[in-house]
Amino acid sequence: MTVALVTGVAGQDGSYLAERLLGEGVQVHGLVRTPDRLDVLPAGLHLHAGDLADTVAVAELVRETRPDEIYNLGGISSVAASWERPVETGAVSGLGAVGLYDAAWRLQEEIGRPVRVLQASSAEIYGSPDRAPQDEGTALRPTSPYGVAKAYAHQMAAVYRARGLGVSACVLYNHESPRRPETFVTRKISAAAARIARDGAGTLALGNLDARRDWGWAPDYVDAMVRAVRHPEAGDFVVASGRTRSVADFVAAAFAAAGIDDWGAHVEVDPRFVRPADPAEQVGDPRRAREVLGWGGTLPFEEIVRRMVRHDLAVLGA
């Protein structure tokens, strides 16, 4: 039986990944830092409490579970949080990832069979990119503590790959679902649209409405990660839709899905929600993921927003 270890299993991507792997008959071990949001996790999952920054304990977990596949989805989950906790971000999302690579490499050396690793990298490693769209060869120019930590982990994946560890990095652009917490702007928007539709009134405060992002559907990006970790040749893969939309576009689509035409009457710009550094545009080139991994791409933008709003309307009983 295939054994998998998933860090950050209680997050959006981790929960979708656990469902998929368990459905395939994989024995899944999940690392969780806190007991929050465990209600989204499927039955049959072996949970382990721990912190990625505790590299000694993580190495012991790897030795204990002896996984065939390791998916590193854990870490500080947002750019905004990384500005509040920059040192912790480096320790968890940067050094923690390297500790996991090293534990996987040592296990591989001990047992004499391959251990495959997937690093959930991020478009934030490109920061303010020098070209668009960005591909696997684009220069790393991170502009936030989150981006810097992810860039370090991304580059160290290549170092361990050269050492003989099959570690692939998926450079994930923004990907959404109803499992996003409301601390993320997309879920904040979809939940607000649902509440305003139910109540007939209300206001949504946002930051930069002109900021553009490349948005996809989280389960589709999980599929790319599984394909990458199982591909015979490890490498880097940009996972993106290849198209950008503005925050204002997301707002308009969400309010339309909730049956509200005049979204401008319900939205205000609040400087508190403007990032210290907000790149004008990040758009990924997913051609390598499509050609090498056979990845089928992602849902259309409008359908992603519709699914999120429908979920939030259902939660409210609207």
Side-chain angles (χ1 to χ4, degrees):
M1 173 185 290
T2 300
V3 178
L5 172 63
V6 181
T7 71
V9 74
Q12 169 187 256
D13 296 357
S15 63
Y16 283 119
L17 176 60
E19 287 176 359
R20 168 164 177 166
L21 295 177
L22 287 167
E24 295 176 349
V26 174
Q27 182 183 107
V28 183
H29 295 267
L31 181 67
V32 293
R33 189 176 185 183
T34 67
D36 298 339
R37 291 174 52 80
L38 298 187
D39 57 308
V40 303
L41 296 177
L45 180 64
H46 301 274
L47 289 177
H48 305 266
D51 190 328
L52 264 176
D54 187 347
T55 55
V56 173
V58 169
E60 180 56 36
L61 178 60
V62 171
R63 285 193 296 270
E64 174 192 332
T65 57
R66 293 180 172 249
D68 303 284
E69 301 173 354
I70 299 175
Y71 298 84
N72 185 33
L73 312 185
I76 301 301
S77 61
S78 75
V79 172
S82 80
W83 284 107
E84 296 170 4
R85 308 195 300 276
V87 176
E88 181 185 355
T89 298
V92 176
S93 299
L95 294 173
V98 177
L100 193 60
Y101 305 159
D102 193 65
W105 181 81
R106 293 180 186 279
L107 175 64
Q108 180 173 274
E109 290 292 294
E110 175 189 339
I111 63 180
R113 63 166 171 78
V115 177
R116 309 289 294 184
V117 181
L118 188 286
Q119 167 64 12
S121 196
S122 165
E124 291 293 328
I125 65 175
Y126 300 133
S128 293
D130 58 1
R131 66 176 188 250
Q134 296 89 51
D135 59 22
E136 292 78 9
T138 300
L140 308 191
R141 301 171 59 183
T143 57
S144 69
Y146 178 93
V148 170
K150 285 287 192 179
Y152 173 66
H154 184 82
Q155 291 182 305
M156 286 299 289
V159 169
Y160 271 85
R161 195 156 58 232
R163 202 179 186 191
L165 180 68
V167 52
S168 289
C170 281
V171 183
L172 306 169
Y173 281 67
N174 293 62
H175 50 290
E176 315 304 324
S177 79
R179 296 183 187 178
R180 272 292 200 206
E182 287 189 37
T183 51
F184 286 79
V185 67
T186 49
R187 185 72 195 290
K188 178 181 179 180
I189 293 168
S190 67
R195 284 193 295 270
I196 292 169
R198 180 196 62 182
D199 299 341
T203 301
L204 169 63
L206 295 170
N208 181 10
L209 294 177
D210 295 324
R212 300 187 70 85
R213 294 292 182 270
D214 182 329
W215 275 300
W217 180 239
D220 294 332
Y221 286 38
V222 164
D223 177 61
M225 289 188 268
V226 174
R227 288 172 181 270
V229 87
R230 294 176 181 173
H231 193 268
E233 185 175 347
D236 297 336
F237 302 94
V238 168
V239 180
S241 74
R243 220 184 142 179
T244 63
R245 301 282 191 142
S246 69
V247 173
D249 290 334
F250 201 104
V251 173
F255 276 72
I260 301 170
D261 295 325
D262 185 16
W263 63 266
H266 301 282
V267 176
E268 62 182 28
V269 174
D270 188 328
R272 293 177 302 165
F273 299 127
V274 177
R275 286 186 184 182
D278 200 349
E281 182 172 2
Q282 292 177 335
V283 55
D285 182 348
R287 283 180 296 177
R288 186 165 192 268
R290 290 175 179 271
E291 293 168 2
V292 176
L293 302 180
W295 183 56
T298 188
L299 285 176
F301 172 79
E302 291 77 10
E303 179 60 22
I304 293 168
V305 180
R306 269 196 300 270
R307 291 189 183 191
M308 293 177 70
V309 173
R310 281 202 304 263
H311 171 270
D312 286 327
L313 286 168
V315 168
L316 294 174

